[in-house]
Amino acid sequence: MITAPLSRRLVLLAALATLATLAMGLSGCDRGTRPPQAIKGASLNASFPASAEGFTVVFTQEKTGFVQATLKQNGINVATLAIADLIDNAEATAKFASSTERIAGHPYAPNGSKGSTLLVADRYQVQVRSLADTFDEAARRSWLTKFQLDTLAALSTR
Amino acid sequence: MALLGIFGKKKTLVDLVNDLPKGGLTVRSLKALDFIAPGEWKNPTDFDQMMRDLTGETDGDFLTSVKAKAIQLYADEKQGYQKAISIYERVDSADRLLGTAAFADKVGEKVKLLHFLDKITPAADTSQTIDLVLKVISELLAFRQVNGLPGDGIADFAAALGEYAGESKIRMAALVAFDGVIPLGPDFLMKCGDTMSGLTPELLKKSAIFGKIVDFFPKVGATAPVDFVKRGFEATTGWLGGLASGLDRGTIVEHLRQFVEVSDDKLDYLGAFLDVMTTYYSHTGTQSVATRVIQRAVNEV
């Protein structure tokens, strides 16, 4: 008869300890430290370029920590646009360690022969990849700057 | 690859693609539909080649990292890609006639429909229309899993159909041809619409497909399955009608006669035959999912 209430108390203590840990984690986020999990895809949408001047941006995938869109020019798919949260992806982040060039203040790195990437706020990889041969490296670099890079950078300090 | 199955180890996305048949009834029947979606489908069955084609890359080290990322993304159940393939497989298994595929699958030979007449039964129009609509809904459910867009996905799916290409396009072409025009005639969408207007939960439950996919219906709000099915179908009829435009039984059958011997008085059996003898949903569904995973993986390396 004595052991039952004791074990209940122990369970309660364990639950309180879990809550305290959770609360500490949450307050850490509030103070602006990096959230432990990848960001919701919907939060990344606002940082994509808008459709304009014969180009249309069509969203194709929205996952936790990843959003992708196809860039169409006059109805033809010319490139893909993507933002990936690299919070749990050290291999992909590593390619920026040796980058010497910056675009709009963010480290730039080529990715394969068809991709151009920026690392924003040490966390978000913005990539433009060519689908059409006419969409060359210069076009990729230009489209990287059409992302709302400041909006994206601000996400990491929210 | 077969050993993996024997020991019960889960197949990787690479295994799933590389194990797809290069020939056989499913492939031959889909190739016969090239005239509906010209040049859209090349039957990709080599994962490495798929990566080269989709990324435009040739560097071995780069592609190795894309492959590793693709395997990892697919293996993570939370990403929804496994569920999508499961949906496609369930659609096929609902109407599969086991044990006869190998018999009919002699490469290069014409299949005589006459040999199968005692094994297949053409479905009544009402159940055929419900099965067709549920296949459209299955596509919507798989789309939701792959694309991860919020909500019930109906509006996004309807908008995305216009972007369907490659294996996804040929799957939809097969849907309208094999499950629509052949068994129901060129006005199959009107017949489906009639069934939908009187759709009840009891009618839905009679379909073998419904029981296999109902677990994947969105849990958003308290929408009843009947309502979801109706709205999903209504949103896609315009696009399906466009794809089926100009198609009639005669044209499709003429293309299928490259490999199936069927007399005009037995055409009623042809739709049922294709239903039970092919796995076109899971075959092209696997290819569609692999495409999306590769397209994502190259953006996460």
Side-chain angles (χ1 to χ4, degrees), chain A residues 76-97:
Chain A
I76 309 282
N77 296 345
V78 290
T80 58
L81 312 175
I83 301 176
D85 187 347
L86 302 186
I87 191 163
D88 202 16
N89 191 342
E91 296 94 333
T93 317
K95 66 177 166 292
F96 295 99

mmCIF file with all atom_site columns, all heavy atoms in Angstrom, chain A residues 76-97:
data_model
loop_
_atom_site.group_PDB
_atom_site.id
_atom_site.type_symbol
_atom_site.label_atom_id
_atom_site.label_alt_id
_atom_site.label_comp_id
_atom_site.label_asym_id
_atom_site.label_entity_id
_atom_site.label_seq_id
_atom_site.pdbx_PDB_ins_code
_atom_site.Cartn_x
_atom_site.Cartn_y
_atom_site.Cartn_z
_atom_site.occupancy
_atom_site.B_iso_or_equiv
_atom_site.pdbx_formal_charge
_atom_site.auth_seq_id
_atom_site.auth_comp_id
_atom_site.auth_asym_id
_atom_site.auth_atom_id
_atom_site.pdbx_PDB_model_num
ATOM 1   N N   . ILE A 1 76 ? 8.280  27.293 -70.540 1.00 0.00 ? 76 ILE A N   1
ATOM 2   C CA  . ILE A 1 76 ? 9.316  26.242 -70.567 1.00 0.00 ? 76 ILE A CA  1
ATOM 3   C C   . ILE A 1 76 ? 10.036 26.202 -69.214 1.00 0.00 ? 76 ILE A C   1
ATOM 4   O O   . ILE A 1 76 ? 10.400 27.253 -68.668 1.00 0.00 ? 76 ILE A O   1
ATOM 5   C CB  . ILE A 1 76 ? 10.376 26.552 -71.661 1.00 0.00 ? 76 ILE A CB  1
ATOM 6   C CG1 . ILE A 1 76 ? 9.706  26.839 -73.010 1.00 0.00 ? 76 ILE A CG1 1
ATOM 7   C CG2 . ILE A 1 76 ? 11.413 25.442 -71.741 1.00 0.00 ? 76 ILE A CG2 1
ATOM 8   C CD1 . ILE A 1 76 ? 9.236  25.652 -73.764 1.00 0.00 ? 76 ILE A CD1 1
ATOM 9   N N   . ASN A 1 77 ? 10.252 24.984 -68.682 1.00 0.00 ? 77 ASN A N   1
ATOM 10  C CA  . ASN A 1 77 ? 11.001 24.860 -67.429 1.00 0.00 ? 77 ASN A CA  1
ATOM 11  C C   . ASN A 1 77 ? 12.474 25.181 -67.684 1.00 0.00 ? 77 ASN A C   1
ATOM 12  O O   . ASN A 1 77 ? 13.147 24.467 -68.429 1.00 0.00 ? 77 ASN A O   1
ATOM 13  C CB  . ASN A 1 77 ? 10.907 23.424 -66.885 1.00 0.00 ? 77 ASN A CB  1
ATOM 14  C CG  . ASN A 1 77 ? 9.485  23.045 -66.525 1.00 0.00 ? 77 ASN A CG  1
ATOM 15  O OD1 . ASN A 1 77 ? 8.601  23.904 -66.416 1.00 0.00 ? 77 ASN A OD1 1
ATOM 16  N ND2 . ASN A 1 77 ? 9.250  21.765 -66.339 1.00 0.00 ? 77 ASN A ND2 1
ATOM 17  N N   . VAL A 1 78 ? 12.976 26.246 -67.074 1.00 0.00 ? 78 VAL A N   1
ATOM 18  C CA  . VAL A 1 78 ? 14.376 26.618 -67.324 1.00 0.00 ? 78 VAL A CA  1
ATOM 19  C C   . VAL A 1 78 ? 15.278 26.346 -66.129 1.00 0.00 ? 78 VAL A C   1
ATOM 20  O O   . VAL A 1 78 ? 16.491 26.184 -66.278 1.00 0.00 ? 78 VAL A O   1
ATOM 21  C CB  . VAL A 1 78 ? 14.516 28.102 -67.755 1.00 0.00 ? 78 VAL A CB  1
ATOM 22  C CG1 . VAL A 1 78 ? 13.954 28.297 -69.156 1.00 0.00 ? 78 VAL A CG1 1
ATOM 23  C CG2 . VAL A 1 78 ? 13.861 29.056 -66.763 1.00 0.00 ? 78 VAL A CG2 1
ATOM 24  N N   . ALA A 1 79 ? 14.693 26.310 -64.905 1.00 0.00 ? 79 ALA A N   1
ATOM 25  C CA  . ALA A 1 79 ? 15.541 26.100 -63.724 1.00 0.00 ? 79 ALA A CA  1
ATOM 26  C C   . ALA A 1 79 ? 14.698 25.622 -62.551 1.00 0.00 ? 79 ALA A C   1
ATOM 27  O O   . ALA A 1 79 ? 13.468 25.695 -62.575 1.00 0.00 ? 79 ALA A O   1
ATOM 28  C CB  . ALA A 1 79 ? 16.246 27.397 -63.354 1.00 0.00 ? 79 ALA A CB  1
ATOM 29  N N   . THR A 1 80 ? 15.381 25.108 -61.523 1.00 0.00 ? 80 THR A N   1
ATOM 30  C CA  . THR A 1 80 ? 14.696 24.869 -60.252 1.00 0.00 ? 80 THR A CA  1
ATOM 31  C C   . THR A 1 80 ? 15.263 25.841 -59.225 1.00 0.00 ? 80 THR A C   1
ATOM 32  O O   . THR A 1 80 ? 16.445 26.198 -59.272 1.00 0.00 ? 80 THR A O   1
ATOM 33  C CB  . THR A 1 80 ? 14.876 23.424 -59.733 1.00 0.00 ? 80 THR A CB  1
ATOM 34  O OG1 . THR A 1 80 ? 16.272 23.158 -59.581 1.00 0.00 ? 80 THR A OG1 1
ATOM 35  C CG2 . THR A 1 80 ? 14.269 22.417 -60.677 1.00 0.00 ? 80 THR A CG2 1
ATOM 36  N N   . LEU A 1 81 ? 14.396 26.265 -58.320 1.00 0.00 ? 81 LEU A N   1
ATOM 37  C CA  . LEU A 1 81 ? 14.786 27.149 -57.228 1.00 0.00 ? 81 LEU A CA  1
ATOM 38  C C   . LEU A 1 81 ? 14.510 26.386 -55.942 1.00 0.00 ? 81 LEU A C   1
ATOM 39  O O   . LEU A 1 81 ? 13.457 25.762 -55.820 1.00 0.00 ? 81 LEU A O   1
ATOM 40  C CB  . LEU A 1 81 ? 13.947 28.431 -57.245 1.00 0.00 ? 81 LEU A CB  1
ATOM 41  C CG  . LEU A 1 81 ? 13.795 29.163 -58.579 1.00 0.00 ? 81 LEU A CG  1
ATOM 42  C CD1 . LEU A 1 81 ? 12.821 30.339 -58.424 1.00 0.00 ? 81 LEU A CD1 1
ATOM 43  C CD2 . LEU A 1 81 ? 15.157 29.672 -59.067 1.00 0.00 ? 81 LEU A CD2 1
ATOM 44  N N   . ALA A 1 82 ? 15.436 26.418 -54.990 1.00 0.00 ? 82 ALA A N   1
ATOM 45  C CA  . ALA A 1 82 ? 15.194 25.666 -53.755 1.00 0.00 ? 82 ALA A CA  1
ATOM 46  C C   . ALA A 1 82 ? 15.859 26.326 -52.565 1.00 0.00 ? 82 ALA A C   1
ATOM 47  O O   . ALA A 1 82 ? 16.898 26.982 -52.697 1.00 0.00 ? 82 ALA A O   1
ATOM 48  C CB  . ALA A 1 82 ? 15.704 24.234 -53.902 1.00 0.00 ? 82 ALA A CB  1
ATOM 49  N N   . ILE A 1 83 ? 15.225 26.157 -51.417 1.00 0.00 ? 83 ILE A N   1
ATOM 50  C CA  . ILE A 1 83 ? 15.859 26.521 -50.150 1.00 0.00 ? 83 ILE A CA  1
ATOM 51  C C   . ILE A 1 83 ? 15.846 25.274 -49.281 1.00 0.00 ? 83 ILE A C   1
ATOM 52  O O   . ILE A 1 83 ? 14.797 24.641 -49.112 1.00 0.00 ? 83 ILE A O   1
ATOM 53  C CB  . ILE A 1 83 ? 15.106 27.650 -49.410 1.00 0.00 ? 83 ILE A CB  1
ATOM 54  C CG1 . ILE A 1 83 ? 15.029 28.904 -50.281 1.00 0.00 ? 83 ILE A CG1 1
ATOM 55  C CG2 . ILE A 1 83 ? 15.801 27.969 -48.088 1.00 0.00 ? 83 ILE A CG2 1
ATOM 56  C CD1 . ILE A 1 83 ? 14.213 30.053 -49.647 1.00 0.00 ? 83 ILE A CD1 1
ATOM 57  N N   . ALA A 1 84 ? 17.037 24.897 -48.763 1.00 0.00 ? 84 ALA A N   1
ATOM 58  C CA  . ALA A 1 84 ? 17.127 23.725 -47.886 1.00 0.00 ? 84 ALA A CA  1
ATOM 59  C C   . ALA A 1 84 ? 17.735 24.150 -46.554 1.00 0.00 ? 84 ALA A C   1
ATOM 60  O O   . ALA A 1 84 ? 18.739 24.877 -46.528 1.00 0.00 ? 84 ALA A O   1
ATOM 61  C CB  . ALA A 1 84 ? 17.990 22.647 -48.539 1.00 0.00 ? 84 ALA A CB  1
ATOM 62  N N   . ASP A 1 85 ? 17.117 23.738 -45.483 1.00 0.00 ? 85 ASP A N   1
ATOM 63  C CA  . ASP A 1 85 ? 17.642 23.995 -44.146 1.00 0.00 ? 85 ASP A CA  1
ATOM 64  C C   . ASP A 1 85 ? 18.741 22.963 -43.871 1.00 0.00 ? 85 ASP A C   1
ATOM 65  O O   . ASP A 1 85 ? 18.456 21.765 -43.833 1.00 0.00 ? 85 ASP A O   1
ATOM 66  C CB  . ASP A 1 85 ? 16.501 23.859 -43.133 1.00 0.00 ? 85 ASP A CB  1
ATOM 67  C CG  . ASP A 1 85 ? 16.917 24.280 -41.734 1.00 0.00 ? 85 ASP A CG  1
ATOM 68  O OD1 . ASP A 1 85 ? 18.138 24.440 -41.500 1.00 0.00 ? 85 ASP A OD1 1
ATOM 69  O OD2 . ASP A 1 85 ? 16.031 24.459 -40.880 1.00 0.00 ? 85 ASP A OD2 1
ATOM 70  N N   . LEU A 1 86 ? 19.974 23.439 -43.700 1.00 0.00 ? 86 LEU A N   1
ATOM 71  C CA  . LEU A 1 86 ? 21.088 22.507 -43.524 1.00 0.00 ? 86 LEU A CA  1
ATOM 72  C C   . LEU A 1 86 ? 21.424 22.285 -42.055 1.00 0.00 ? 86 LEU A C   1
ATOM 73  O O   . LEU A 1 86 ? 22.540 21.892 -41.717 1.00 0.00 ? 86 LEU A O   1
ATOM 74  C CB  . LEU A 1 86 ? 22.336 23.027 -44.266 1.00 0.00 ? 86 LEU A CB  1
ATOM 75  C CG  . LEU A 1 86 ? 22.213 23.267 -45.770 1.00 0.00 ? 86 LEU A CG  1
ATOM 76  C CD1 . LEU A 1 86 ? 23.573 23.624 -46.362 1.00 0.00 ? 86 LEU A CD1 1
ATOM 77  C CD2 . LEU A 1 86 ? 21.637 22.054 -46.485 1.00 0.00 ? 86 LEU A CD2 1
ATOM 78  N N   . ILE A 1 87 ? 20.455 22.527 -41.168 1.00 0.00 ? 87 ILE A N   1
ATOM 79  C CA  . ILE A 1 87 ? 20.739 22.440 -39.733 1.00 0.00 ? 87 ILE A CA  1
ATOM 80  C C   . ILE A 1 87 ? 21.304 21.078 -39.344 1.00 0.00 ? 87 ILE A C   1
ATOM 81  O O   . ILE A 1 87 ? 22.111 20.969 -38.431 1.00 0.00 ? 87 ILE A O   1
ATOM 82  C CB  . ILE A 1 87 ? 19.470 22.760 -38.901 1.00 0.00 ? 87 ILE A CB  1
ATOM 83  C CG1 . ILE A 1 87 ? 19.846 22.933 -37.433 1.00 0.00 ? 87 ILE A CG1 1
ATOM 84  C CG2 . ILE A 1 87 ? 18.382 21.698 -39.062 1.00 0.00 ? 87 ILE A CG2 1
ATOM 85  C CD1 . ILE A 1 87 ? 18.787 23.625 -36.615 1.00 0.00 ? 87 ILE A CD1 1
ATOM 86  N N   . ASP A 1 88 ? 20.895 20.050 -40.090 1.00 0.00 ? 88 ASP A N   1
ATOM 87  C CA  . ASP A 1 88 ? 21.328 18.694 -39.756 1.00 0.00 ? 88 ASP A CA  1
ATOM 88  C C   . ASP A 1 88 ? 22.109 18.097 -40.918 1.00 0.00 ? 88 ASP A C   1
ATOM 89  O O   . ASP A 1 88 ? 22.020 16.908 -41.172 1.00 0.00 ? 88 ASP A O   1
ATOM 90  C CB  . ASP A 1 88 ? 20.062 17.859 -39.471 1.00 0.00 ? 88 ASP A CB  1
ATOM 91  C CG  . ASP A 1 88 ? 20.390 16.645 -38.632 1.00 0.00 ? 88 ASP A CG  1
ATOM 92  O OD1 . ASP A 1 88 ? 21.478 16.626 -38.032 1.00 0.00 ? 88 ASP A OD1 1
ATOM 93  O OD2 . ASP A 1 88 ? 19.557 15.713 -38.592 1.00 0.00 ? 88 ASP A OD2 1
ATOM 94  N N   . ASN A 1 89 ? 22.846 18.924 -41.646 1.00 0.00 ? 89 ASN A N   1
ATOM 95  C CA  . ASN A 1 89 ? 23.465 18.468 -42.891 1.00 0.00 ? 89 ASN A CA  1
ATOM 96  C C   . ASN A 1 89 ? 24.866 19.072 -43.044 1.00 0.00 ? 89 ASN A C   1
ATOM 97  O O   . ASN A 1 89 ? 25.098 19.947 -43.877 1.00 0.00 ? 89 ASN A O   1
ATOM 98  C CB  . ASN A 1 89 ? 22.554 18.865 -44.064 1.00 0.00 ? 89 ASN A CB  1
ATOM 99  C CG  . ASN A 1 89 ? 22.951 18.215 -45.369 1.00 0.00 ? 89 ASN A CG  1
ATOM 100 O OD1 . ASN A 1 89 ? 24.072 17.723 -45.511 1.00 0.00 ? 89 ASN A OD1 1
ATOM 101 N ND2 . ASN A 1 89 ? 22.044 18.225 -46.326 1.00 0.00 ? 89 ASN A ND2 1
ATOM 102 N N   . ALA A 1 90 ? 25.793 18.578 -42.228 1.00 0.00 ? 90 ALA A N   1
ATOM 103 C CA  . ALA A 1 90 ? 27.151 19.136 -42.202 1.00 0.00 ? 90 ALA A CA  1
ATOM 104 C C   . ALA A 1 90 ? 27.881 18.933 -43.527 1.00 0.00 ? 90 ALA A C   1
ATOM 105 O O   . ALA A 1 90 ? 28.687 19.766 -43.940 1.00 0.00 ? 90 ALA A O   1
ATOM 106 C CB  . ALA A 1 90 ? 27.934 18.510 -41.060 1.00 0.00 ? 90 ALA A CB  1
ATOM 107 N N   . GLU A 1 91 ? 27.564 17.820 -44.217 1.00 0.00 ? 91 GLU A N   1
ATOM 108 C CA  . GLU A 1 91 ? 28.267 17.535 -45.490 1.00 0.00 ? 91 GLU A CA  1
ATOM 109 C C   . GLU A 1 91 ? 27.997 18.649 -46.500 1.00 0.00 ? 91 GLU A C   1
ATOM 110 O O   . GLU A 1 91 ? 28.903 19.096 -47.202 1.00 0.00 ? 91 GLU A O   1
ATOM 111 C CB  . GLU A 1 91 ? 27.783 16.205 -46.094 1.00 0.00 ? 91 GLU A CB  1
ATOM 112 C CG  . GLU A 1 91 ? 28.085 14.977 -45.263 1.00 0.00 ? 91 GLU A CG  1
ATOM 113 C CD  . GLU A 1 91 ? 26.929 14.597 -44.347 1.00 0.00 ? 91 GLU A CD  1
ATOM 114 O OE1 . GLU A 1 91 ? 26.141 15.492 -43.962 1.00 0.00 ? 91 GLU A OE1 1
ATOM 115 O OE2 . GLU A 1 91 ? 26.821 13.402 -44.019 1.00 0.00 ? 91 GLU A OE2 1
ATOM 116 N N   . ALA A 1 92 ? 26.731 19.074 -46.580 1.00 0.00 ? 92 ALA A N   1
ATOM 117 C CA  . ALA A 1 92 ? 26.397 20.115 -47.556 1.00 0.00 ? 92 ALA A CA  1
ATOM 118 C C   . ALA A 1 92 ? 26.983 21.463 -47.139 1.00 0.00 ? 92 ALA A C   1
ATOM 119 O O   . ALA A 1 92 ? 27.419 22.250 -47.982 1.00 0.00 ? 92 ALA A O   1
ATOM 120 C CB  . ALA A 1 92 ? 24.884 20.211 -47.709 1.00 0.00 ? 92 ALA A CB  1
ATOM 121 N N   . THR A 1 93 ? 27.009 21.732 -45.842 1.00 0.00 ? 93 THR A N   1
ATOM 122 C CA  . THR A 1 93 ? 27.551 23.008 -45.356 1.00 0.00 ? 93 THR A CA  1
ATOM 123 C C   . THR A 1 93 ? 29.049 23.106 -45.648 1.00 0.00 ? 93 THR A C   1
ATOM 124 O O   . THR A 1 93 ? 29.570 24.190 -45.890 1.00 0.00 ? 93 THR A O   1
ATOM 125 C CB  . THR A 1 93 ? 27.319 23.140 -43.830 1.00 0.00 ? 93 THR A CB  1
ATOM 126 O OG1 . THR A 1 93 ? 25.995 22.707 -43.534 1.00 0.00 ? 93 THR A OG1 1
ATOM 127 C CG2 . THR A 1 93 ? 27.492 24.563 -43.372 1.00 0.00 ? 93 THR A CG2 1
ATOM 128 N N   . ALA A 1 94 ? 29.726 21.949 -45.633 1.00 0.00 ? 94 ALA A N   1
ATOM 129 C CA  . ALA A 1 94 ? 31.183 21.924 -45.746 1.00 0.00 ? 94 ALA A CA  1
ATOM 130 C C   . ALA A 1 94 ? 31.699 22.613 -47.012 1.00 0.00 ? 94 ALA A C   1
ATOM 131 O O   . ALA A 1 94 ? 32.780 23.214 -46.996 1.00 0.00 ? 94 ALA A O   1
ATOM 132 C CB  . ALA A 1 94 ? 31.678 20.484 -45.692 1.00 0.00 ? 94 ALA A CB  1
ATOM 133 N N   . LYS A 1 95 ? 30.911 22.550 -48.108 1.00 0.00 ? 95 LYS A N   1
ATOM 134 C CA  . LYS A 1 95 ? 31.426 23.111 -49.371 1.00 0.00 ? 95 LYS A CA  1
ATOM 135 C C   . LYS A 1 95 ? 31.619 24.624 -49.294 1.00 0.00 ? 95 LYS A C   1
ATOM 136 O O   . LYS A 1 95 ? 32.327 25.215 -50.094 1.00 0.00 ? 95 LYS A O   1
ATOM 137 C CB  . LYS A 1 95 ? 30.525 22.742 -50.561 1.00 0.00 ? 95 LYS A CB  1
ATOM 138 C CG  . LYS A 1 95 ? 29.135 23.348 -50.538 1.00 0.00 ? 95 LYS A CG  1
ATOM 139 C CD  . LYS A 1 95 ? 28.382 22.960 -51.803 1.00 0.00 ? 95 LYS A CD  1
ATOM 140 C CE  . LYS A 1 95 ? 26.902 23.236 -51.712 1.00 0.00 ? 95 LYS A CE  1
ATOM 141 N NZ  . LYS A 1 95 ? 26.207 22.362 -50.745 1.00 0.00 ? 95 LYS A NZ  1
ATOM 142 N N   . PHE A 1 96 ? 30.946 25.274 -48.317 1.00 0.00 ? 96 PHE A N   1
ATOM 143 C CA  . PHE A 1 96 ? 31.071 26.724 -48.194 1.00 0.00 ? 96 PHE A CA  1
ATOM 144 C C   . PHE A 1 96 ? 32.310 27.129 -47.382 1.00 0.00 ? 96 PHE A C   1
ATOM 145 O O   . PHE A 1 96 ? 32.679 28.294 -47.362 1.00 0.00 ? 96 PHE A O   1
ATOM 146 C CB  . PHE A 1 96 ? 29.822 27.318 -47.539 1.00 0.00 ? 96 PHE A CB  1
ATOM 147 C CG  . PHE A 1 96 ? 28.577 27.145 -48.373 1.00 0.00 ? 96 PHE A CG  1
ATOM 148 C CD1 . PHE A 1 96 ? 27.675 26.130 -48.109 1.00 0.00 ? 96 PHE A CD1 1
ATOM 149 C CD2 . PHE A 1 96 ? 28.330 27.995 -49.450 1.00 0.00 ? 96 PHE A CD2 1
ATOM 150 C CE1 . PHE A 1 96 ? 26.538 25.956 -48.878 1.00 0.00 ? 96 PHE A CE1 1
ATOM 151 C CE2 . PHE A 1 96 ? 27.190 27.834 -50.229 1.00 0.00 ? 96 PHE A CE2 1
ATOM 152 C CZ  . PHE A 1 96 ? 26.298 26.810 -49.940 1.00 0.00 ? 96 PHE A CZ  1
ATOM 153 N N   . ALA A 1 97 ? 32.928 26.145 -46.712 1.00 0.00 ? 97 ALA A N   1
ATOM 154 C CA  . ALA A 1 97 ? 34.078 26.456 -45.857 1.00 0.00 ? 97 ALA A CA  1
ATOM 155 C C   . ALA A 1 97 ? 35.210 27.075 -46.669 1.00 0.00 ? 97 ALA A C   1
ATOM 156 O O   . ALA A 1 97 ? 35.935 27.956 -46.192 1.00 0.00 ? 97 ALA A O   1
ATOM 157 C CB  . ALA A 1 97 ? 34.554 25.197 -45.151 1.00 0.00 ? 97 ALA A CB  1
#
